């Protein structure tokens, strides 16, 4: 897709994309960031967008998924982990909670460092709990490609986490 076609196809969707992002995130600054990130990701895959039947649905789905991912990652970081041993001392509980928050932050940082397509597939499948069929429908990727991206992404996470002894 050339730049002119990209602009004429996706820029008019900016307002709707912002509305979806704002509705989910509840924060105007986050909504703007999500829309910008969506445009950047769409631009990265512009050559594959010619095979997408409904560009508007694809872009809005991407915005929705990014918004939900941001909201979920913030909720995960704010949620107090449940301690396995409720009778342990407050100091031990505090250390455990801190290390679990650190682990989650590290995992989210690693996911953010993945290539865009791999990151999206990991988020859609492992964080949002979507099925391969739903992912294939929303992204236009084949089931084989989705399984491969999931495998690579999980292997990358496992490798990085074992090097850092987080697992």
């Amino acid at each position: 897709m050339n730049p002119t076609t990209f602009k004429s196809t996706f820029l008019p969707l900016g307002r709707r994309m912002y509305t979806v992002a704002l509705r989910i995130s509840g924060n105007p600054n986050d909504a703007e960031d999500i829309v910008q990130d969506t445009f950047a990701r769409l631009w990265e895959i512009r050559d594959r967008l010619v095979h997408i039947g409904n560009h508007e649905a694809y872009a809005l789905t991407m915005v929705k998924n990014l918004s939900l991912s941001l909201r979920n990652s913030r909720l995960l970081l704010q949620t107090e982990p449940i301690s396995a041993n409720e009778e342990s001392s407050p100091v031990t509980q505090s250390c455990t909670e801190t290390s679990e928050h650190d682990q989650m932050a590290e995992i989210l940082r690693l996911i953010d460092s993945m290539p865009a397509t791999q990151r999206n597939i990991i988020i859609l499948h492992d964080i949002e709990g979507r099925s391969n069929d739903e992912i294939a429908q929303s992204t236009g990727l084949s089931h084989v490609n989705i399984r491969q991206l999931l495998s690579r992404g999980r292997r990358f996470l496992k490798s990085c986490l074992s090097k850092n002894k987080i697992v």
Side-chain angles (χ1 to χ4, degrees), residues 37 40 63 66-67 72 81 100-101 105-106 130 132 140 146 151 167:
D37 191 28
V63 167
L66 288 171
S67 300
N72 290 341
E100 287 176 3
H101 282 292
E106 177 66 11
R130 295 182 183 251
N132 287 1
I146 291 169
S151 176
V167 187

Side-chain angles (χ1 to χ4, degrees), residues 18 21-22 25-36 70 74:
Y18 175 80
L22 182 61
S25 71
N27 183 324
N29 293 330
D30 286 345
E32 290 174 7
D33 291 343
I34 289 166
V35 171
Q36 286 299 321
L70 177 66
R74 287 197 175 149

Side-chain angles (χ1 to χ4, degrees), residues 42-82:
L42 288 168
W43 180 252
E44 288 175 6
I45 61 169
R46 67 187 173 278
D47 295 332
R48 290 183 283 163
L49 292 174
V50 294
H51 304 294
I52 304 297
N54 188 340
H55 292 108
E56 179 179 1
Y58 188 82
L60 292 175
T61 300
M62 189 179 280
V63 167
K64 180 188 78 162
N65 292 337
L66 288 171
S67 300
L68 290 171
S69 296
L70 177 66
R71 187 182 71 187
N72 290 341
S73 66
R74 287 197 175 149
L75 288 174
L76 285 173
L77 291 174
Q78 293 173 356
T79 304
E80 291 294 322
I82 299 172

